[in-house]
Amino acid sequence: MSDTADLAEFRQEVSDFVAANCPADIRARVASYHKIGVEDQLAWQRILAQKGWGASTWPVEWGGTGWSVRQRFIFDEVQAEFDCPPAPHQGLRHIGPVLIAFGSPEQQQAFLPRILDGSDFWCQGYSEPNAGSDLANLGTNAVLDGDDYVVNGQKIWTTQAHESQMMFALVRTGRGDRKQHGISLLLIPMDSPGLEVRPIISIDGWHHLNEVFFTDVRVPVANRVGDEGAAWTYAKFLLDRERLGPVHQVPGGAVLARRVRELIETEVTGPARQGERAALLGRLARVDSRLMGLRRLGEEAIEALAADRPVGLSPSVIKLAFGALFQELTEIGAEAGGRRQALDFTPPEQGNHPDEAEWLPNFLYQRARTIFGGTSEVQRNLISRRLFGN
């Protein structure tokens, strides 16, 4: 899908701004695939918000850009090409749209500006030890006590909870004929008394994940989104938006493939490694062909969204394919630099984390790509049910 003259002009405008304003040190960390923390994400978010570009998908009345779907995709492409940090998506692309659609005016006024200007970073309190893919099985409960809910229970795999100011959490406030009934959505400050965050160190050695424990945590009723017990509707709204996330990952896949090619060219050299080099480049060529197909599928999804047509199975297909693709790309990268990097790599919690070892922890991190955001098994079920029925 080539740009029209207007879109080409827009792409140039975004490129010029990003090149001039995205901090060089942050771009260098992104380019080297180091861990990008909350500070880097919020620093860039504040710059974008000052420009008026802080929420590309929000309505204009809430600080959004008013861009077309195609412009949003170009914006994502340019940011990927210039190694900008990822957006704080739990706020911007998850709870923000939920609050716009279902929140009270007071909640919208209190929380949306702080998401937009980078004042608050949010985490998602969904998964529990017995409620992962089966989210409706959640057991964290909230009992009404005057003007507060008293929350007790546990969340797990909570990304960046240790760096967040706020959590949006699904809690059980009642029971019904189905386990999806009686679930409410609460907005919970992370500094609430009785709330404890414990780290989970993942296989890559970084601290991304957490367990969160609630012991008599009091949350004002005013922080409940929508009606009590009706949050399954809001959760589905959010999950539908989350499943569009893979469309926004397409540009990043192309950048990653280019970096892998550069790594092969600089690391796998000399006559003795000619066969290894050819094998790695052959694997990369097959990945490139799949990337081309996924890019076109993503463009079709963008075109459908622009025309207010259903996107169908495209997000699930892209999510399923991208999980395996990202894993293969980082595997090729780790193999290309693995001889040197394997000797240099030390998990961060044990001390040094040298710059030249970036591919190894990212190879390890990408093992989770087929799990988070909806497992590959869940995506296959969604696809098969749509194609063949229950």
Side-chain angles (χ1 to χ4, degrees):
M1 181 174 14
S2 58
D3 291 344
T4 63
D6 288 346
L7 289 175
E9 183 178 348
F10 174 77
R11 186 184 294 273
Q12 189 61 53
E13 178 189 3
V14 175
S15 298
D16 291 345
F17 178 82
V18 169
N21 291 280
C22 191
D25 60 328
I26 296 179
R27 291 172 59 188
R29 283 191 287 277
V30 174
S32 61
Y33 292 96
H34 279 60
K35 180 179 182 291
I36 301 301
V38 166
E39 291 181 2
D40 286 343
Q41 294 180 64
L42 292 183
W44 180 228
Q45 174 63 25
R46 294 183 187 107
I47 293 171
L48 290 174
Q50 290 174 359
K51 175 66 174 175
W53 292 356
S56 63
T57 62
W58 287 14
V60 173
E61 58 266 31
W62 288 111
T65 58
W67 289 341
S68 69
V69 177
R70 179 62 183 154
Q71 285 175 307
R72 297 174 203 163
F73 189 74
I74 289 173
F75 183 64
D76 289 338
E77 281 188 315
V78 172
Q79 289 202 87
E81 291 164 2
F82 281 88
D83 300 311
C84 297
H89 67 279
Q90 297 288 12
L92 285 172
R93 290 183 171 170
H94 290 178
I95 191 58
V98 170
L99 289 174
I100 290 170
F102 305 106
S104 67
E106 293 77 14
Q107 290 169 346
Q108 293 166 342
Q109 293 289 344
F111 297 113
L112 292 176
R114 296 181 62 82
I115 294 172
L116 186 63
D117 68 13
S119 296
D120 288 338
F121 195 90
W122 289 69
C123 60
Q124 181 186 77
Y126 274 27
S127 295
E128 298 182 6
N130 294 313
S133 297
D134 185 12
L135 184 57
N137 199 43
L138 65 89
T140 297
N141 68 87
V143 177
L144 189 61
D145 181 23
D147 293 331
D148 294 333
Y149 286 103
V150 180
V151 181
N152 286 277
Q154 177 188 359
K155 299 293 180 179
I156 198 167
W157 313 122
T158 312
T159 303
Q160 293 177 302
H162 61 298
E163 300 177 285
S164 299
Q165 288 77 45
M166 295 292 300
M167 171 190 283
F168 57 97
L170 292 178
V171 298
R172 187 163 295 285
T173 52
R175 297 285 175 179
D177 296 336
R178 303 175 61 203
K179 57 186 178 181
Q180 289 87 351
H181 298 162
I183 296 174
S184 299
L185 178 61
L186 298 183
L187 312 176
I188 305 177
M190 293 300 290
D191 60 359
S192 299
L195 189 154
E196 179 187 2
V197 178
R198 299 180 191 173
I200 299 174
I201 306 304
S202 50
I203 192 174
D204 58 352
W206 289 110
H207 179 193
H208 311 276
L209 306 170
N210 303 273
E211 295 177 282
V212 181
F213 295 87
F214 303 88
T215 304
D216 294 333
V217 174
R218 302 189 75 88
V219 180
V221 173
N223 280 24
R224 186 193 70 219
V225 178
D227 296 330
E228 182 176 280
W232 194 248
T233 298
Y234 318 142
K236 288 194 297 181
F237 175 88
L238 187 152
L239 291 171
D240 285 343
R241 298 186 67 87
E242 187 174 15
R243 291 187 182 113
L244 292 175
V247 177
H248 299 283
Q249 295 172 10
V250 172
V255 172
L256 178 58
R258 187 178 73 240
R259 291 272 158 66
V260 172
R261 183 175 299 278
E262 293 169 355
L263 187 68
I264 295 171
E265 292 172 351
T266 57
E267 292 281 349
V268 189
T269 59
R273 302 187 71 183
Q274 184 175 355
E276 180 185 357
R277 175 187 175 93
L280 290 173
L281 287 174
R283 289 170 62 187
L284 183 59
R286 288 190 290 273
V287 172
D288 280 338
S289 67
R290 287 156 56 196
L291 264 173
M292 291 174 62
L294 286 171
R295 178 182 173 81
R296 181 54 197 154
L297 192 60
E299 289 174 344
E300 290 176 356
I302 294 296
E303 292 168 351
L305 285 170
D308 290 326
R309 300 194 309 268
V311 296
L313 292 171
S314 293
S316 289
V317 172
I318 293 173
K319 169 67 170 70
L320 181 63
F322 250 104
L325 187 145
F326 267 83
Q327 287 180 346
E328 187 166 356
L329 279 173
T330 52
E331 182 176 323
I332 296 170
E335 288 186 23
R339 296 183 180 184
R340 173 171 53 79
Q341 293 179 9
L343 295 175
D344 290 334
F345 175 63
T346 304
E349 279 65 37
Q350 298 178 22
N352 184 36
H353 181 48
D355 290 347
E356 59 267 26
E358 69 271 4
W359 281 97
L360 208 53
N362 277 284
F363 160 72
L364 295 171
Y365 172 74
Q366 293 298 333
R367 300 304 93 194
R369 176 69 68 166
T370 52
I371 299 173
F372 62 63
T375 67
S376 291
E377 290 77 11
V378 167
Q379 303 306 323
R380 291 188 181 98
N381 285 338
L382 288 171
I383 294 167
S384 64
R385 286 171 184 166
R386 181 71 65 88
L387 292 176
F388 307 115
N390 294 330

